[in-house]
């Protein structure tokens, strides 16, 4: 099971999702915003170099703004696969499965081969309105080629749109290590086969 700070909380927008640029804030304001708006603890932040007054904290604070995109020009970014709860996630044809608004858990798997360090940073973002849903840290498994489960839970229906989960290095580089996207459908007729709606129909025998 995912370690501390895994994505088990409901998915409200972070209070910092519409914040202006980091240079408009003092060091203490940025520190308090990161502590208050994410699942990151002061101990974890300090042990990974995100200390008050540091460039690392300033860059992390900027990620509270949903308009701050994370891109990579490298070829080593891993793809996050999505799948049904309790089953092995897989990469769909276009890499972005379409799920039902009635999903409760969106489940994914991160291949961790080649990843260094003790943990990774995760950012879940609604790309349709640029709201940040969650920023947290997750401990890497001990196996060198282990797959790490990721999930986001919502107690209510998801808003239709396109969503993205990003995996970053837990240091000042905040380098993109992996990413994946999924779509919440406006119509139940177009969902991917493993979605909540499609699975429920299969179990009930409905067409």
């Amino acid at each position: 099971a995912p370690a501390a700070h895994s994505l088990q909380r409901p998915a409200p927008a972070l209070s910092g999702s519409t914040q202006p640029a980091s240079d408009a804030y003092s060091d203490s304001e940025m520190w308090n915003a990161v502590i208050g708006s994410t699942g990151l603890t002061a101990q974890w932040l300090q042990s990974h170099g995100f200390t008050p007054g540091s460039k690392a904290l300033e860059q992390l604070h900027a990620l509270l703004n949903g308009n701050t995109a994370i891109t990579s020009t490298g070829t080593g970014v891993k793809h996050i696969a999505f799948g049904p709860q309790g089953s092995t996630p897989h990469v769909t044809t276009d890499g972005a499965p379409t799920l039902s608004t009635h999903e409760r858990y969106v489940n994914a798997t991160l291949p961790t081969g080649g990843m260094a360090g003790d943990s990774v940073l995760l950012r879940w973002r609604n790309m349709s309105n640029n709201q940040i849903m969650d920023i947290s840290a997750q401990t890497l498994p001990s196996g060198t080629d282990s797959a790490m489960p990721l999930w986001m839970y919502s107690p209510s229906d998801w808003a239709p749109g396109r969503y993205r989960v990003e995996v970053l290095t837990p240091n000042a580089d905040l380098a993109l290590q992996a990413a994946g996207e999924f779509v919440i459908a406006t119509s139940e007729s177009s969902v991917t086969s493993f979605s909540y709606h499609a699975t429920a129909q299969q179990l009930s025998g409905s067409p």
Side-chain angles (χ1 to χ4, degrees):
H5 307 309
S6 60
L7 304 178
Q8 302 178 57
R9 300 191 305 279
L14 291 180
S15 60
S17 59
T18 58
Q19 291 181 354
S22 292
D23 57 8
Y25 290 86
S26 68
D27 293 342
S28 61
E29 287 173 331
M30 284 191 285
W31 174 260
N32 291 334
V34 170
I35 291 290
S37 300
T38 72
L40 304 172
T41 66
Q43 181 180 4
W44 187 92
L45 288 167
Q46 291 172 334
S47 66
H48 290 81
F50 298 98
T51 54
S54 67
K55 185 67 175 178
L57 181 66
E58 181 180 340
Q59 292 173 324
L60 179 58
H61 179 265
L63 296 185
L64 297 179
N65 188 325
N67 293 302
T68 304
I70 302 172
T71 58
S72 174
T73 56
T75 58
V77 177
K78 300 177 183 294
H79 189 89
I80 295 172
F82 295 88
Q85 187 175 357
S87 300
T88 302
H90 58 278
V91 178
T92 57
T93 303
D94 65 355
T98 300
L99 306 178
S100 166
T101 59
H102 305 305
E103 301 288 342
R104 287 299 169 259
Y105 287 94
V106 171
N107 296 272
T109 293
L110 169 67
T112 60
M115 289 187 174
D118 63 346
S119 57
V120 291
L121 272 170
L122 300 165
R123 186 173 83 149
W124 293 72
R125 180 166 66 101
N126 183 337
M127 299 174 67
S128 299
N129 59 15
N130 287 322
Q131 285 189 334
I132 300 300
M133 300 166 64
D134 191 68
I135 295 177
S136 56
Q138 189 160 320
T139 302
L140 286 171
S142 56
T144 55
D145 294 314
S146 300
M148 184 168 73
L150 311 174
W151 67 78
M152 174 61 76
Y153 170 74
S154 177
S156 58
D157 287 355
W158 291 72
R162 193 175 186 94
Y163 295 78
R164 177 177 171 89
V165 56
E166 299 152 329
V167 179
L168 313 173
T169 56
N171 53 41
D173 293 335
L174 292 173
L176 184 65
Q177 293 186 293
E181 297 178 8
F182 61 96
V183 174
I184 297 296
T186 55
S187 169
E188 300 292 2
S189 62
S190 59
V191 297
T192 302
S193 60
F194 63 72
S195 74
Y196 170 86
H197 183 75
T199 303
Q201 284 190 325
Q202 292 166 10
L203 292 176
S204 66
S206 300

